[in-house]
Protein backbone atom coordinates (compact mmCIF):
# COMPACT_ATOMS: atom_id res chain seq x y z
CA UNK A 1 0.00 0.00 0.00
CA UNK A 2 2.80 2.44 0.89
CA UNK A 3 4.26 1.53 -2.43
CA UNK A 4 1.13 2.63 -4.32
CA UNK A 5 0.99 5.91 -2.40
CA UNK A 6 4.63 6.58 -3.18
CA UNK A 7 4.12 5.93 -6.90
CA UNK A 8 1.08 8.23 -6.88
CA UNK A 9 3.02 11.04 -5.25
CA UNK A 10 6.05 10.54 -7.49
CA UNK A 11 3.82 10.80 -10.53
CA UNK A 12 2.00 13.92 -9.27
CA UNK A 13 5.38 15.65 -8.99
CA UNK A 14 5.94 15.24 -12.72
CA UNK A 15 4.17 18.13 -14.48
CA UNK A 16 2.87 16.01 -17.36
CA UNK A 17 0.74 18.58 -19.17
CA UNK A 18 0.06 18.63 -22.90
CA UNK A 19 2.71 21.29 -23.56
CA UNK A 20 5.34 19.52 -21.53
CA UNK A 21 6.57 16.65 -23.69
CA UNK A 22 9.62 16.03 -21.51
CA UNK A 23 7.49 15.55 -18.40
CA UNK A 24 5.02 13.28 -20.18
CA UNK A 25 7.96 11.20 -21.37
CA UNK A 26 9.32 11.22 -17.83
CA UNK A 27 6.12 9.60 -16.52
CA UNK A 28 6.52 6.82 -19.08
CA UNK A 29 10.21 6.36 -18.19
CA UNK A 30 9.18 6.21 -14.53
CA UNK A 31 6.78 3.37 -15.31
CA UNK A 32 9.42 1.58 -17.37
CA UNK A 33 11.96 1.70 -14.56
CA UNK A 34 9.32 0.44 -12.11
CA UNK A 35 8.99 -2.75 -14.17
CA UNK A 36 12.68 -3.04 -15.04
CA UNK A 37 13.49 -5.98 -12.80
CA UNK A 38 10.28 -7.88 -13.50
CA UNK A 39 9.77 -10.64 -16.06
CA UNK A 40 7.16 -8.58 -17.84
CA UNK A 41 7.60 -7.49 -21.43
CA UNK A 42 7.65 -3.80 -22.15
CA UNK A 43 6.93 -1.89 -25.34
CA UNK A 44 7.23 1.85 -25.61
CA UNK A 45 5.64 3.94 -28.34
CA UNK A 46 6.06 7.49 -29.51
CA UNK A 47 3.27 8.65 -31.80
CA UNK A 48 3.43 12.31 -32.88
CA UNK A 49 5.34 13.20 -29.71
CA UNK A 50 2.93 11.29 -27.50
CA UNK A 51 4.75 8.63 -25.47
CA UNK A 52 2.93 5.50 -24.29
CA UNK A 53 3.90 2.24 -22.68
CA UNK A 54 2.46 -1.27 -22.86
CA UNK A 55 3.50 -3.83 -20.26
CA UNK A 56 2.26 -7.40 -20.52
CA UNK A 57 3.05 -10.91 -19.40
CA UNK A 58 2.16 -13.02 -22.41
CA UNK A 59 1.99 -11.88 -25.98
CA UNK A 60 1.26 -15.21 -27.62
CA UNK A 61 -2.20 -15.20 -26.20
CA UNK A 62 -5.07 -12.77 -26.41
CA UNK A 63 -5.31 -10.72 -23.26
CA UNK A 64 -7.71 -11.84 -20.54
CA UNK A 65 -7.57 -8.38 -19.04
CA UNK A 66 -6.23 -5.04 -20.18
CA UNK A 67 -5.83 -2.22 -17.69
CA UNK A 68 -5.78 1.24 -19.19
CA UNK A 69 -4.97 4.66 -17.84
CA UNK A 70 -3.44 8.00 -18.75
CA UNK A 71 -0.58 9.89 -17.14
CA UNK A 72 -1.15 13.32 -18.63
CA UNK A 73 -2.90 16.03 -16.64
CA UNK A 74 -4.37 19.44 -17.40
CA UNK A 75 -2.28 22.39 -16.28
CA UNK A 76 -2.62 23.88 -12.83
CA UNK A 77 -0.85 26.11 -10.34
CA UNK A 78 2.73 25.25 -9.39
CA UNK A 79 1.84 24.16 -5.85
CA UNK A 80 -0.67 21.61 -7.15
CA UNK A 81 2.26 19.54 -8.37
CA UNK A 82 3.49 19.06 -4.81
CA UNK A 83 1.40 16.19 -3.43
CA UNK A 84 0.04 16.51 0.11
CA UNK A 85 -1.41 13.80 2.30
CA UNK A 86 -3.93 14.63 5.00
CA UNK A 87 -6.48 12.48 6.85
CA UNK A 88 -6.56 9.64 4.33
CA UNK A 89 -6.60 11.90 1.29
CA UNK A 90 -3.90 12.65 -1.26
CA UNK A 91 -4.16 16.13 -2.75
CA UNK A 92 -2.48 17.16 -5.98
CA UNK A 93 -2.99 17.73 -9.67
CA UNK A 94 -3.73 14.43 -11.36
CA UNK A 95 -4.23 12.57 -8.07
CA UNK A 96 -7.78 11.51 -8.95
CA UNK A 97 -7.44 11.90 -12.72
CA UNK A 98 -5.75 9.50 -12.72
CA UNK A 99 -2.29 8.94 -11.34
CA UNK A 100 -3.53 7.00 -8.29
CA UNK A 101 -5.45 4.70 -10.63
CA UNK A 102 -2.31 4.15 -12.71
CA UNK A 103 -0.28 3.47 -9.57
CA UNK A 104 -2.73 0.78 -8.40
CA UNK A 105 -2.70 -0.93 -11.79
CA UNK A 106 1.11 -0.86 -11.91
CA UNK A 107 1.43 -2.45 -8.48
CA UNK A 108 -1.27 -4.99 -9.26
CA UNK A 109 0.38 -6.09 -12.52
CA UNK A 110 3.78 -6.41 -10.87
CA UNK A 111 2.45 -8.43 -7.95
CA UNK A 112 0.41 -10.60 -10.28
CA UNK A 113 3.38 -11.36 -12.53
CA UNK A 114 5.41 -12.47 -9.53
CA UNK A 115 2.81 -15.13 -8.79
CA UNK A 116 3.37 -16.88 -12.13
CA UNK A 117 -0.27 -17.02 -13.06
CA UNK A 118 -1.67 -18.40 -16.27
CA UNK A 119 -3.82 -15.48 -17.20
CA UNK A 120 -2.55 -12.88 -19.61
CA UNK A 121 -2.73 -9.29 -18.47
CA UNK A 122 -1.55 -6.04 -20.00
CA UNK A 123 -1.28 -2.48 -18.81
CA UNK A 124 -1.49 0.35 -21.32
CA UNK A 125 -0.58 3.82 -20.11
CA UNK A 126 -0.73 6.81 -22.43
CA UNK A 127 -0.11 10.55 -22.19
CA UNK A 128 -2.65 12.21 -24.50
CA UNK A 129 -6.07 11.43 -23.00
CA UNK A 130 -6.72 15.03 -22.01
CA UNK A 131 -6.34 16.08 -25.65
CA UNK A 132 -8.51 13.34 -27.14
CA UNK A 133 -6.38 10.19 -26.97
CA UNK A 134 -5.96 9.91 -30.74
CA UNK A 135 -2.21 9.27 -30.60
CA UNK A 136 -2.39 7.11 -27.52
CA UNK A 137 -5.15 4.55 -27.07
CA UNK A 138 -6.74 5.60 -30.37
CA UNK A 139 -3.68 4.85 -32.47
CA UNK A 140 -2.37 1.88 -30.49
CA UNK A 141 -5.62 -0.06 -30.45
CA UNK A 142 -6.01 0.37 -34.21
CA UNK A 143 -2.41 -0.22 -35.26
CA UNK A 144 -0.01 -1.65 -32.71
CA UNK A 145 -2.14 -3.77 -30.44
CA UNK A 146 -4.38 -5.37 -33.04
CA UNK A 147 -3.50 -8.91 -32.03
CA UNK A 148 -4.11 -8.62 -28.34
CA UNK A 149 -7.91 -8.38 -28.49
CA UNK A 150 -8.45 -7.99 -24.77
CA UNK A 151 -11.54 -9.79 -23.50
CA UNK A 152 -12.09 -7.21 -20.80
CA UNK A 153 -10.71 -3.70 -20.37
CA UNK A 154 -10.80 -1.74 -17.12
CA UNK A 155 -10.53 2.04 -17.47
CA UNK A 156 -10.73 3.70 -14.03
CA UNK A 157 -11.34 7.10 -15.57
CA UNK A 158 -15.08 7.75 -15.37
CA UNK A 159 -17.54 8.61 -12.63
CA UNK A 160 -16.58 9.65 -9.13
CA UNK A 161 -15.97 6.54 -7.08
CA UNK A 162 -15.74 2.77 -7.10
CA UNK A 163 -19.39 2.16 -6.36
CA UNK A 164 -20.24 3.86 -9.64
CA UNK A 165 -19.90 1.98 -12.90
CA UNK A 166 -20.33 4.00 -16.07
CA UNK A 167 -22.47 2.44 -18.79
CA UNK A 168 -22.69 5.39 -21.17
CA UNK A 169 -20.42 8.16 -22.30
CA UNK A 170 -21.52 10.55 -25.00
CA UNK A 171 -20.04 10.62 -28.47
CA UNK A 172 -18.19 13.71 -29.57
CA UNK A 173 -18.17 15.64 -32.84
CA UNK A 174 -16.18 18.86 -33.09
CA UNK A 175 -16.83 20.93 -36.16
CA UNK A 176 -15.47 24.11 -37.66
CA UNK A 177 -17.86 26.16 -39.78
CA UNK A 178 -16.79 29.21 -41.76
CA UNK A 179 -18.29 31.95 -43.89
CA UNK A 180 -16.69 34.11 -46.53
CA UNK A 181 -17.79 37.63 -47.48
CA UNK A 182 -16.52 40.72 -49.19
CA UNK A 183 -14.44 43.30 -47.36
CA UNK A 184 -15.36 47.01 -47.46
CA UNK A 185 -14.99 50.12 -45.33
CA UNK A 186 -17.24 50.15 -42.28
CA UNK A 187 -18.80 53.40 -43.47
CA UNK A 188 -19.94 51.71 -46.67
CA UNK A 189 -21.32 48.32 -45.55
CA UNK A 190 -23.56 48.28 -48.64
CA UNK A 191 -20.43 47.68 -50.74
CA UNK A 192 -19.39 44.65 -48.73
CA UNK A 193 -20.75 41.30 -47.61
CA UNK A 194 -20.36 40.75 -43.87
CA UNK A 195 -18.97 37.26 -43.09
CA UNK A 196 -19.76 37.50 -39.36
CA UNK A 197 -23.37 38.31 -40.18
CA UNK A 198 -23.57 35.26 -42.41
CA UNK A 199 -22.06 33.03 -39.76
CA UNK A 200 -24.38 34.36 -37.06
CA UNK A 201 -27.31 33.47 -39.30
CA UNK A 202 -25.98 29.95 -39.68
CA UNK A 203 -25.46 29.69 -35.92
CA UNK A 204 -29.01 30.83 -35.19
CA UNK A 205 -30.39 28.24 -37.59
CA UNK A 206 -28.26 25.55 -35.95
CA UNK A 207 -29.45 26.57 -32.50
CA UNK A 208 -33.03 25.90 -33.61
CA UNK A 209 -32.06 22.46 -34.94
CA UNK A 210 -29.99 21.59 -31.85
CA UNK A 211 -31.64 23.15 -28.82
CA UNK A 212 -29.81 22.53 -25.54
CA UNK A 213 -31.66 21.22 -22.49
CA UNK A 214 -31.89 23.69 -19.60
CA UNK A 215 -30.94 21.02 -17.08
CA UNK A 216 -29.10 17.68 -17.03
CA UNK A 217 -30.97 15.18 -19.19
CA UNK A 218 -29.46 12.45 -21.34
CA UNK A 219 -29.73 14.06 -24.75
CA UNK A 220 -27.62 15.59 -27.53
CA UNK A 221 -26.07 18.99 -26.96
CA UNK A 222 -24.23 21.66 -28.93
CA UNK A 223 -21.74 24.21 -27.62
CA UNK A 224 -20.29 27.18 -29.47
CA UNK A 225 -16.80 27.18 -27.99
CA UNK A 226 -14.92 29.62 -30.18
CA UNK A 227 -15.94 32.35 -32.65
CA UNK A 228 -13.42 34.26 -34.75
CA UNK A 229 -13.93 37.06 -37.25
CA UNK A 230 -13.13 40.65 -38.05
CA UNK A 231 -10.20 42.78 -36.97
CA UNK A 232 -11.40 46.38 -36.92
CA UNK A 233 -14.59 48.23 -36.02
CA UNK A 234 -14.57 50.19 -39.25
CA UNK A 235 -14.19 47.22 -41.56
CA UNK A 236 -16.68 44.79 -43.07
CA UNK A 237 -15.17 41.38 -42.27
CA UNK A 238 -14.68 39.01 -45.19
CA UNK A 239 -13.97 35.96 -43.04
CA UNK A 240 -15.42 34.37 -39.94
CA UNK A 241 -15.26 30.94 -38.36
CA UNK A 242 -16.81 29.18 -35.41
CA UNK A 243 -16.03 25.98 -33.54
CA UNK A 244 -18.89 23.80 -32.35
CA UNK A 245 -18.77 20.88 -29.94
CA UNK A 246 -21.59 18.36 -30.35
CA UNK A 247 -22.11 15.59 -27.77
CA UNK A 248 -24.49 12.81 -28.73
CA UNK A 249 -25.96 9.75 -27.09
CA UNK A 250 -26.59 7.27 -29.94
CA UNK A 251 -24.17 5.98 -32.57
CA UNK A 252 -26.59 6.84 -35.40
CA UNK A 253 -26.86 10.46 -34.26
CA UNK A 254 -23.51 11.36 -35.77
CA UNK A 255 -24.92 11.09 -39.27
CA UNK A 256 -28.06 12.99 -38.29
CA UNK A 257 -26.00 15.90 -36.95
CA UNK A 258 -23.82 16.06 -40.07
CA UNK A 259 -26.89 15.86 -42.34
CA UNK A 260 -28.60 18.71 -40.51
CA UNK A 261 -25.51 20.91 -40.79
CA UNK A 262 -25.16 20.06 -44.50
CA UNK A 263 -28.66 21.37 -45.11
CA UNK A 264 -27.61 24.76 -43.71
CA UNK A 265 -24.06 25.11 -45.05
CA UNK A 266 -21.39 23.20 -46.93
CA UNK A 267 -18.56 25.22 -45.43
CA UNK A 268 -17.67 22.93 -42.56
CA UNK A 269 -14.97 20.51 -41.51
CA UNK A 270 -14.93 17.79 -38.84
CA UNK A 271 -11.98 18.43 -36.52
CA UNK A 272 -12.35 15.58 -34.07
CA UNK A 273 -14.84 12.86 -33.31
CA UNK A 274 -15.50 9.82 -31.19
CA UNK A 275 -18.32 7.33 -30.91
CA UNK A 276 -20.47 7.13 -27.82
CA UNK A 277 -19.56 4.44 -25.31
CA UNK A 278 -22.44 2.09 -24.56
CA UNK A 279 -22.16 -0.97 -22.30
CA UNK A 280 -25.03 -3.32 -21.43
CA UNK A 281 -25.34 -3.78 -17.70
CA UNK A 282 -26.62 -7.36 -17.99
CA UNK A 283 -23.25 -8.52 -19.33
CA UNK A 284 -21.80 -11.43 -17.38
CA UNK A 285 -18.38 -9.87 -16.72
CA UNK A 286 -20.02 -6.74 -15.39
CA UNK A 287 -22.19 -8.70 -12.96
CA UNK A 288 -19.09 -10.46 -11.64
CA UNK A 289 -17.28 -7.17 -11.25
CA UNK A 290 -20.29 -5.55 -9.56
CA UNK A 291 -20.55 -8.37 -6.99
CA UNK A 292 -16.88 -8.11 -6.13
CA UNK A 293 -17.12 -4.34 -5.67
CA UNK A 294 -20.21 -4.65 -3.48
CA UNK A 295 -18.48 -7.19 -1.24
CA UNK A 296 -15.30 -5.10 -1.02
CA UNK A 297 -17.08 -1.84 -0.24
CA UNK A 298 -20.07 -3.22 1.66
CA UNK A 299 -22.20 -0.88 -0.44
CA UNK A 300 -24.52 -1.18 -3.42
CA UNK A 301 -23.06 -0.43 -6.82
CA UNK A 302 -25.06 1.75 -9.16
CA UNK A 303 -24.81 2.35 -12.87
CA UNK A 304 -24.48 5.84 -14.24
CA UNK A 305 -23.90 7.84 -17.39
CA UNK A 306 -21.39 10.63 -17.93
CA UNK A 307 -21.43 13.37 -20.53
CA UNK A 308 -17.67 13.55 -21.04
CA UNK A 309 -15.80 11.19 -23.34
CA UNK A 310 -12.76 9.14 -22.33
CA UNK A 311 -10.29 6.77 -23.97
CA UNK A 312 -12.76 3.95 -23.25
CA UNK A 313 -14.52 4.84 -26.51
CA UNK A 314 -11.61 3.42 -28.52
CA UNK A 315 -12.24 0.01 -26.98
CA UNK A 316 -15.99 0.05 -27.37
CA UNK A 317 -15.39 0.47 -31.08
CA UNK A 318 -13.88 -3.01 -31.03
CA UNK A 319 -16.86 -4.48 -29.16
CA UNK A 320 -14.63 -5.29 -26.19
CA UNK A 321 -16.15 -5.54 -22.72
CA UNK A 322 -15.24 -2.36 -20.88
CA UNK A 323 -15.54 -1.42 -17.23
CA UNK A 324 -15.39 2.30 -16.52
CA UNK A 325 -15.15 3.37 -12.92
CA UNK A 326 -13.06 5.60 -10.70
CA UNK A 327 -11.28 5.67 -7.36
CA UNK A 328 -13.12 8.10 -5.05
CA UNK A 329 -11.90 11.57 -5.93
CA UNK A 330 -13.08 15.09 -6.66
CA UNK A 331 -12.14 18.54 -7.99
CA UNK A 332 -10.71 17.00 -11.13
CA UNK A 333 -9.05 19.55 -13.44
CA UNK A 334 -9.29 22.20 -10.74
CA UNK A 335 -7.59 23.35 -7.58
CA UNK A 336 -7.82 21.03 -4.62
CA UNK A 337 -8.02 17.80 -6.66
CA UNK A 338 -7.89 14.82 -4.34
CA UNK A 339 -8.12 11.03 -4.18
CA UNK A 340 -9.09 8.85 -1.24
CA UNK A 341 -6.49 6.38 0.06
CA UNK A 342 -9.15 3.94 1.30
CA UNK A 343 -10.50 3.48 -2.21
CA UNK A 344 -6.98 3.15 -3.63
CA UNK A 345 -6.70 0.09 -1.41
CA UNK A 346 -10.20 -1.10 -2.33
CA UNK A 347 -9.43 -0.86 -6.03
CA UNK A 348 -6.30 -2.97 -5.61
CA UNK A 349 -8.31 -5.66 -3.75
CA UNK A 350 -11.04 -5.56 -6.40
CA UNK A 351 -8.51 -6.20 -9.16
CA UNK A 352 -7.03 -9.14 -7.24
CA UNK A 353 -10.46 -10.75 -6.79
CA UNK A 354 -11.66 -9.96 -10.29
CA UNK A 355 -8.70 -11.57 -12.08
CA UNK A 356 -9.42 -14.79 -10.19
CA UNK A 357 -13.00 -14.84 -11.45
CA UNK A 358 -12.45 -14.23 -15.12
ZN1 LIG B 1 -8.84 11.16 -16.95
Amino acid sequence: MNNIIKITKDLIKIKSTKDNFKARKKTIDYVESYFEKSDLKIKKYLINKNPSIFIYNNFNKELDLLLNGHLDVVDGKKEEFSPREKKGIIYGRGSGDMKAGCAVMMKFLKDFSEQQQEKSIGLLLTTDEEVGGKNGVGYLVENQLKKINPKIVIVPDGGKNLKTIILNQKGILQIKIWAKGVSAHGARPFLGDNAIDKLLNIYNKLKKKFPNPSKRIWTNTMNLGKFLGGNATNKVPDEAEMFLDFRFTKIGDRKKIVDKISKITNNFEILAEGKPFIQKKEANFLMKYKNIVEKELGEKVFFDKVEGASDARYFSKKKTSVIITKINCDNIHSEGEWVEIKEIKNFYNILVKFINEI
Side-chain angles (χ1 to χ4, degrees):
M1 189 58 201
N2 287 335
N3 209 328
I4 299 175
I5 292 170
K6 187 186 177 299
I7 299 169
T8 305
K9 288 179 179 172
D10 285 349
L11 289 170
I12 290 171
K13 287 179 201 157
I14 308 173
K15 206 173 175 236
S16 49
T17 58
K18 69 171 191 291
D19 300 322
N20 198 336
F21 167 71
K22 269 191 184 161
R24 286 186 292 122
K25 190 178 169 296
K26 203 171 159 191
T27 60
I28 297 299
D29 293 341
Y30 179 95
V31 176
E32 185 184 28
S33 64
Y34 178 77
F35 286 103
E36 218 165 39
K37 288 187 189 115
S38 71
D39 292 335
L40 292 155
K41 296 169 193 101
I42 297 173
K43 278 193 182 179
K44 289 212 283 180
Y45 304 96
L46 185 64
I47 312 298
N48 296 324
K49 287 202 114 182
N50 293 289
S52 309
I53 189 163
F54 178 50
I55 308 123
Y56 53 101
N57 64 349
N58 186 351
F59 204 43
N60 300 319
K61 217 171 120 185
E62 291 187 344
L63 283 187
D64 294 306
L65 179 66
L66 176 66
L67 304 164
N68 171 237
H70 67 88
L71 289 165
D72 55 321
V73 297
V74 293
D75 210 352
K77 287 186 185 156
K78 199 176 159 227
E79 58 267 28
E80 291 174 60
F81 295 91
S82 303
R84 283 167 297 124
E85 189 181 329
K86 209 174 132 191
K87 291 181 182 163
I89 300 281
I90 299 171
Y91 295 88
R93 178 52 52 111
S95 54
D97 183 24
M98 55 167 290
K99 286 174 167 172
C102 293
V104 172
M105 296 189 290
M106 286 162 65
K107 178 80 165 71
F108 167 72
L109 179 59
K110 200 176 193 181
D111 292 350
F112 182 82
S113 71
E114 282 161 8
Q115 292 157 17
Q116 298 289 332
Q117 301 230 22
E118 277 296 294
K119 281 165 189 155
S120 56
I121 305 188
L123 169 64
L124 177 63
L125 299 177
T126 62
T127 59
D128 72 333
E129 195 274 346
E130 299 293 0
V131 292
K134 217 169 86 183
N135 292 299
V137 177
Y139 180 87
L140 296 171
V141 167
E142 286 295 326
N143 300 287
Q144 301 288 328
L145 306 175
K146 252 184 213 157
K147 284 177 281 176
I148 65 167
N149 279 328
K151 288 176 198 146
I152 299 168
V153 184
I154 297 183
V155 190
D157 194 25
K160 277 203 160 179
N161 46 40
L162 288 173
K163 68 179 174 203
T164 315
I165 296 173
I166 302 301
L167 295 179
N168 299 76
Q169 288 186 325
K170 286 186 186 177
I172 179 170
L173 189 63
Q174 293 179 330
I175 289 183
K176 174 175 139 179
I177 302 181
W178 63 91
K180 298 259 184 240
V182 177
S183 185
H185 193 281
R188 291 180 291 276
F190 40 85
L191 295 180
D193 183 13
N194 192 312
I196 294 180
D197 251 358
K198 279 180 159 176
L199 201 56
L200 284 173
N201 270 332
I202 293 172
Y203 178 61
N204 285 326
K205 281 182 195 165
L206 286 169
K207 258 175 82 169
K208 281 192 189 122
K209 298 254 183 212
F210 303 101
N212 280 332
S214 57
K215 60 176 197 300
R216 191 188 182 210
I217 47 170
W218 195 248
T219 184
N220 298 351
T221 58
M222 176 185 86
N223 178 54
L224 172 60
K226 200 159 116 182
F227 195 104
L228 303 170
N231 50 26
T233 314
N234 65 353
K235 243 173 96 179
V236 176
D238 60 353
E239 265 180 355
E241 50 188 38
M242 63 178 172
F243 296 78
L244 297 167
D245 189 347
F246 292 89
R247 303 298 172 119
F248 57 100
T249 59
K250 292 185 224 79
I251 288 171
D253 286 356
R254 182 208 179 271
K255 191 180 176 296
K256 286 183 194 162
I257 293 168
V258 173
D259 286 351
K260 278 185 188 173
I261 296 170
S262 311
K263 281 194 184 131
I264 296 170
T265 178
N266 286 317
N267 296 334
F268 71 92
E269 179 194 343
I270 295 170
L271 300 174
E273 63 177 305
K275 286 183 184 177
F277 169 80
I278 301 163
Q279 181 71 63
K280 283 198 175 73
K281 70 173 173 210
E282 299 77 22
N284 196 18
F285 76 96
L286 210 54
M287 284 297 118
K288 276 183 190 163
Y289 182 82
K290 177 176 173 277
N291 288 336
I292 290 168
V293 175
E294 287 180 344
K295 260 186 215 152
E296 172 69 23
L297 301 179
E299 279 185 272
K300 272 236 154 309
V301 156
F302 68 95
F303 296 107
D304 204 358
K305 301 168 170 174
V306 287
E307 280 80 10
S310 79
D311 277 349
R313 67 174 181 270
Y314 295 112
F315 298 109
S316 69
K317 240 186 195 173
K318 297 259 166 199
K319 291 199 171 74
T320 312
S321 304
V322 185
I323 298 169
I324 301 177
T325 185
K326 194 130 199 148
I327 297 169
N328 189 21
C329 64
D330 209 350
N331 301 333
I332 281 175
H333 297 187
S334 51
E335 242 184 297
E337 180 173 349
W338 59 263
V339 66
E340 188 195 22
I341 293 174
K342 184 186 152 282
E343 285 222 344
I344 289 179
K345 208 173 183 173
N346 290 142
F347 185 47
Y348 180 89
N349 294 339
I350 289 164
L351 291 178
V352 171
K353 288 176 192 158
F354 187 60
I355 193 67
N356 286 321
E357 288 208 16
I358 56 169

